Each structure stands twice: as C-alpha cells, then as structure tokens.
Amino acid sequence: MQNNFKFKFQKILEYRETVENLRLADYNRAKEVLRTEENKLRELMNYKKNELAMRNINVKNTTIFDLKNYNMIIDYINKEIVEQKARVYNAKDVVDSKKKNLLEALKEKKMMEKIKEKHYNEFIYEIKKEEDKLVDEIVNFRSSKN
C-alpha cells in the first residue's frame, strides 16, 4: 500500500531536510570555533596565573627592571585576555544565531513531515474505503446469487 503513496511535496521535504543538515553543520562548526576560542582564553588565563606566580616567587631576588618586565608581560596578557573575551563573546553570538537558524529549519521540516503524515493517513483512509466498498460489492454479489 505504501509503495503507491506519492507525497506531492516530497521535493520540498527533501529540500528542507538538506537545509536542516546544512544548518546543523554550520551550528556544529560555530560550536567548534567557540570551544577553540574558550580554550585560548583558558590558556591565556593560566599563562597569566603562572606569570603572576613566577613574579611573586622571584620578587625577593629580582631587580626593578625585571619587575617592570613582569608587569609589562602581565599588562600585555591582560590586553590579550580582554580581546579574547570579546572573541568568545562574538563566537557565542554566532552559535546562538546558528542555533536559531537550525531550530527554524527543524520546525519547517517537522511541518512538512506532519503534512506528509496527514496526506498518508488520508491515502490509507481512501484505500480502506475502497477495500470496504469492494468487500461490500462481493458480499452483495454473493447474496444476489443465492
């Protein structure tokens, strides 16, 4: 029975499935970029922590020039951290945007699947109606012969 069923919007459903797959791939790429940016931020924070620890350990045996260098390094790291936080924030925005697009594509595909299901149920109903009609005709034919 199902082999005879032809969904007249099948191409649209396939298109929406393709769009969903593309948007899912975009979303996954954006999430990967976000993870990379977050890892870079963590590395910078750890680097800063290590530099501060080194400065604090060596503070007794260091010159003013060395302390100045440590402070310049830490200032540079702080600027890098601020920039990296901005990159993480932007990556989060991209992920949110891609997620919104993906959810929209999922909703559109689901809508087409529901239409397909409705059409299939109507098709099954019509087949059943035809079968019932055929059975009635057979019963009527047999009863008329008797």
Side-chain angles (χ1 to χ4, degrees):
M1 272 190 242
Q2 187 176 1
N3 292 344
N4 297 332
F5 176 68
K6 300 262 191 267
F7 181 49
K8 62 182 176 180
F9 301 118
Q10 186 63 35
K11 292 290 184 188
I12 295 172
L13 177 58
E14 290 169 2
Y15 169 76
R16 290 192 176 169
E17 287 170 346
T18 302
V19 168
E20 175 193 349
N21 291 335
L22 291 172
R23 288 184 180 177
L24 178 61
D26 285 346
Y27 174 68
N28 287 332
R29 277 191 298 272
K31 279 180 28 181
E32 187 58 36
V33 168
L34 175 60
R35 274 192 291 275
T36 301
E37 295 299 335
E38 287 174 337
N39 287 338
K40 287 178 185 177
L41 180 58
R42 259 190 302 285
E43 289 172 6
L44 281 170
M45 302 280 252
N46 287 335
Y47 184 63
K48 177 184 173 183
K49 182 179 170 184
N50 292 337
E51 285 297 319
L52 285 170
M54 289 295 291
R55 183 188 71 181
N56 291 339
I57 289 171
N58 295 329
V59 78
K60 293 179 184 174
N61 301 327
T62 193
T63 65
I64 300 252
F65 180 74
D66 291 337
L67 284 175
K68 184 177 177 186
N69 283 338
Y70 275 121
N71 285 337
M72 284 178 22
I73 290 170
I74 291 169
D75 286 344
Y76 175 76
I77 294 170
N78 283 335
K79 289 177 187 172
E80 287 295 313
I81 287 173
V82 167
E83 291 174 10
Q84 190 61 36
K85 282 181 179 179
R87 286 191 282 276
V88 167
Y89 180 78
N90 289 338
K92 282 181 181 178
D93 280 350
V94 169
V95 167
D96 289 343
S97 172
K98 299 293 182 183
K99 184 177 182 179
K100 182 180 176 184
N101 290 341
L102 174 60
L103 291 174
E104 181 182 316
L106 285 167
K107 189 167 69 171
E108 289 174 358
K109 184 187 96 173
K110 190 72 168 173
M111 181 178 64
M112 288 306 296
E113 287 174 340
K114 284 189 183 265
I115 291 171
K116 181 178 182 177
E117 182 180 341
K118 181 182 174 191
H119 284 212
Y120 180 71
N121 288 338
E122 289 172 358
F123 173 76
I124 295 297
Y125 175 76
E126 290 298 321
I127 294 290
K128 187 126 176 94
K129 211 163 93 172
E130 289 293 320
E131 287 175 352
D132 290 346
K133 184 178 175 183
L134 185 61
V135 168
D136 285 346
E137 286 178 8
I138 291 172
V139 168
N140 285 337
F141 180 73
R142 284 188 181 167
S143 65
S144 68
K145 276 187 137 183
N146 293 334

